[in-house]
Amino acid sequence: MTSLPDKTDSKLGLVIDLDICVGCQACVVNCKAWNTGGYGSALSDSQPYGDNPEGAWLNRVHGYEVDSGSGAATIVHFPKSCLHCDDAPCVTVCPTGASIKRSEDGIVLVDESKCMGCGLCAWACPYGAREMDPSAGVMKKCTLCVDRIYNENLPAVDREPACVRTCPTNARHFGDLSDPDSSVSKLVAERDGQDLMPEQSTRPVNKYLMPRERQGIDQLAEPDFSLAELADPTPSGVLAWIDRALDRL
Amino acid sequence: MHPALSIILFTTLSGAGFGLCFWVGLLGSGLHAYQVALTGFASIGLASAGLLCSVFHLRRPSRAWRAFSQWRSSWLSREALIAPASLAMLAAFVAATALEHSAAATLGWIAAPVALLAVFATSMIYTQLKAVAAWHTMRTPLLFLAYAISSGFYFMLAMLGLAKLTMPQHGGGPVVPDGLLVFLATTLAPAAFLVQYLWWRRRDAVGFGKSSAESATGLGNPGSVRMLEPPHTGANYLTSEMGYVVARRHAAKLRWISAIVGAAVPAILCLWAGISIAGQPALSWLAAIAHLLGAGIARWLFFAEARHTVMLYYQ
């Protein structure tokens, strides 16, 4: 049913630390690798080695330059995937019942066997979290690795989303955001985690931690050597004599 | 937004079809049974052709039947239910008229508002999308209804012209004073484009609504945000679905073309024909087709010019 649940028992989601992310794209690749063999049909590409490679991805990392108006601009790597919104507009617009928000954990999922590929949910999502699979013709989105997090065939340490598991800098955190004592909720409280586009009233579960203020980056110190001198070294010894001789010639 | 031909045809043709349903239901009791049958079948045909076009937009059309199930939350699902219901009611009206049943007029008066309800449901598919600020306004249903009522009217005139051509012995006509008919014929098309003008004016001012690259990334507090590197080197589903720009380049010209073809041409033709407009098949068909063409160009821009918040991540 594409009506939203009044309340979910828990709110599983991600907390993404923009201060720490280095933009290595490991989460993007591991997401694709896991999900092309996991829940639903393969995450396909069209012309992967051709002139116009294109494909469905559930997680993409943008790069932004943030200019505060004074001092050096900051580069921010910005991973973006489904935010598993409490008021998910993608769910209510679905005409077939394929889009659902689970009442037990708040995960927004697509039942691919019901999806007719009209694409309206992708239009309804303000974040661009949904992409049509080019070959299966059904809508793809982040499942929060629902086939990992409850999977008892995996060692306990691997029961978290592929993107979180693979992040080499610990910029991604997974947990229950409805529990104020969970590690993710504490992180959000401590670092004032932000909603993306709060004005769209989607009430996202995923939170973003903003870059902390850089210390002293405004005062770029004068280097005590000149790079230009390194490129044009002052010769000594025999070379210095040859240099002078050639100058006089 | 990506202006898929299937969606432009779906919204314009089904709009014209349901508009014609509205007029047939409203005025049909004053018409001869032959005229009701002709206009009624035309409206069902136009609307069905439009609905059929929408199926071509689906990647898995074999699952389209599931779209009847989610009427509690989804406007697309509501549209899928109301549209055939409206056509069934009009078919009942046509049948009752042919059988000279006493309930015919009542059936027509029920079918008329339900046809407008179907157009309203179509428009709400787009109106409900908060992520597309240009659409998220009650001016959008007004726009769709205005086009449906006007294009339906011109097709009614055209079909009455055809009825006269094929069976001249049946006189009859809508129970509307000639003066009112000419007034409607000359003003409905310009009126629809007046609503379109008001819609365009809001669209030009609204941009992405309250959203910005800063709110989209949450990075507004540190400062202004500019894209440094995109997450992928080519196009993707999002950029080809939401980032359409080609029609926008010629938007100003296309707006003028749509208004001249869709509003000025039908109004002038109908003014020229005067009170005999319902009896002039050539002129009334020309007016109907011109108006539909103009509305179709405007509908193309409706999609192409609308901007989706996801493009904020690509600026």
Side-chain angles (χ1 to χ4, degrees):
Chain A
M1 187 49 63
T2 54
S3 300
L4 291 166
D6 295 329
K7 196 184 148 296
T8 56
D9 299 338
S10 60
K11 291 182 185 184
L12 296 186
L14 302 176
V15 172
I16 294 169
D17 194 338
L18 299 180
D19 199 36
I20 290 180
C21 177
V22 293
C24 72
Q25 313 273 339
C27 57
V28 177
V29 174
N30 204 29
C31 167
K32 179 93 170 178
W34 177 264
N35 284 292
T36 202
Y39 179 95
S41 63
L43 258 185
S44 62
D45 294 309
S46 65
Q47 301 188 43
Y49 306 103
D51 289 341
N52 296 301
E54 241 192 271
W57 298 69
L58 312 182
N59 178 32
R60 295 183 186 266
V61 178
H62 296 243
Y64 296 108
E65 178 192 77
V66 184
D67 187 359
S68 64
S70 66
T74 315
I75 307 301
V76 178
H77 303 287
F78 187 91
K80 181 164 71 66
S81 54
C82 171
L83 308 171
H84 297 278
C85 303
D86 273 343
D87 282 335
C90 55
V91 172
T92 51
V93 300
C94 174
T96 65
S99 269
I100 46 167
K101 183 168 174 72
R102 309 207 316 173
S103 60
E104 60 266 41
D105 51 19
I107 298 179
V108 176
L109 277 182
V110 175
D111 178 348
E112 293 181 6
S113 67
K114 290 183 180 165
C115 177
M116 65 177 186
C118 70
L120 190 60
C121 56
W123 283 15
C125 172
Y127 309 104
R130 288 171 170 246
E131 296 184 21
M132 184 84 77
D133 189 278
S135 104
V138 293
M139 198 51 76
K140 287 289 186 178
K141 70 175 292 301
C142 160
T143 67
L144 216 59
C145 284
V146 70
D147 47 354
R148 283 177 72 100
I149 58 178
Y150 298 115
N151 191 340
E152 292 183 359
N153 296 319
L154 295 176
V157 69
D158 284 332
R159 286 179 214 154
E160 57 181 13
C163 57
V164 176
R165 187 75 187 94
T166 203
C167 178
T169 60
N170 234 9
R172 304 179 73 105
H173 307 267
F174 166 69
D176 178 6
L177 285 135
S178 72
D179 173 9
D181 295 323
S182 68
S183 59
V184 279
S185 295
K186 283 181 187 157
L187 252 180
V188 170
E190 196 183 306
R191 298 271 308 277
D192 188 25
Q194 301 280 310
D195 286 347
L196 301 186
M197 284 196 252
E199 70 280 0
Q200 291 280 332
S201 334
T202 51
R203 298 199 296 139
V205 169
N206 286 12
K207 305 286 179 216
Y208 282 77
L209 309 179
M210 291 302 133
R212 282 170 280 211
E213 220 171 288
R214 300 292 194 270
Q215 297 289 316
I217 200 160
D218 294 346
Q219 295 93 44
L220 293 171
E222 283 292 324
D224 49 11
F225 61 93
S226 165
L227 284 173
E229 280 171 21
L230 291 177
D232 189 16
T234 315
S236 60
V238 181
L239 267 180
W241 177 79
I242 294 171
D243 188 34
R244 279 198 303 275
L246 287 171
D247 273 347
R248 260 183 246 122
L249 202 69
Chain B
M1 307 298 289
H2 177 58
L5 185 63
S6 57
I7 294 295
I8 297 169
L9 289 177
F10 154 55
T11 55
T12 23
L13 291 181
S14 75
F18 287 117
L20 183 53
C21 277
F22 165 74
W23 287 107
V24 175
L26 192 71
L27 305 176
S29 54
L31 296 175
H32 189 272
Y34 175 68
Q35 293 173 318
V36 170
L38 213 58
T39 47
F41 288 140
S43 70
I44 293 169
L46 257 179
S48 308
L51 294 172
L52 197 69
C53 286
S54 76
V55 176
F56 290 105
H57 188 64
L58 307 178
R59 290 288 310 269
R60 304 292 289 252
S62 62
R63 296 172 181 163
W65 61 273
R66 289 186 185 274
F68 297 116
S69 65
Q70 303 300 317
W71 48 271
R72 283 188 199 83
S73 74
S74 165
W75 276 104
L76 205 164
S77 187
R78 286 170 199 164
E79 201 265 349
L81 285 171
I82 298 170
S86 162
L87 297 184
M89 277 181 201
L90 196 83
F93 166 66
V94 174
T97 310
L99 299 170
E100 293 177 3
H101 195 279
S102 56
T106 321
L107 276 174
W109 288 329
I110 297 170
V114 175
L116 292 188
L117 198 64
V119 177
F120 177 74
T122 308
S123 69
M124 285 306 289
I125 296 171
Y126 308 104
T127 308
Q128 69 181 340
L129 302 179
K130 213 174 171 182
V132 186
W135 293 348
H136 192 61
T137 162
M138 285 321 275
R139 288 186 198 196
T140 300
L142 204 64
L143 180 73
F144 276 56
L145 285 168
Y147 277 128
I149 290 172
S150 59
S151 48
F153 183 80
Y154 291 107
F155 272 102
M156 185 186 69
L157 291 184
M159 289 313 292
L160 289 179
L162 195 68
K164 186 158 187 183
L165 201 69
T166 47
M167 277 200 158
Q169 67 272 29
H170 295 311
V175 277
V176 178
D178 285 343
L180 184 60
L181 204 67
V182 176
F183 174 75
L184 287 175
T186 48
T187 53
L188 274 179
F193 275 86
L194 182 67
V195 178
Q196 177 72 77
Y197 168 73
L198 295 174
W199 192 92
W200 276 332
R201 233 177 48 167
R202 181 187 171 279
R203 183 261 163 215
D204 292 343
V206 76
F208 289 102
K210 287 181 192 150
S211 297
S212 61
E214 284 71 30
S215 79
T217 55
L219 294 165
N221 189 26
S224 64
V225 178
R226 187 177 75 88
M227 186 165 78
L228 191 68
E229 51 179 356
H232 40 87
T233 48
N236 76 351
Y237 175 72
L238 299 172
T239 54
S240 50
E241 196 69 7
M242 277 52 134
Y244 201 78
V245 287
V246 175
R248 277 183 214 156
R249 196 176 307 143
H250 305 291
K253 270 182 223 160
L254 285 169
R255 285 181 183 188
W256 276 108
I257 293 170
S258 74
I260 291 165
V261 176
V265 169
I268 290 168
L269 284 173
C270 292
L271 203 62
W272 185 27
I275 51 169
S276 60
I277 180 70
Q280 297 211 19
L283 281 184
S284 54
W285 270 100
L286 212 57
I289 287 167
H291 183 63
L292 193 70
L293 197 65
I297 296 169
R299 191 57 50 84
W300 179 29
L301 290 174
F302 174 83
F303 289 99
E305 284 197 288
R307 306 210 288 178
H308 192 283
T309 49
V310 76
M311 292 321 291
L312 292 169
Y313 289 104
Y314 289 89
Q315 288 189 336

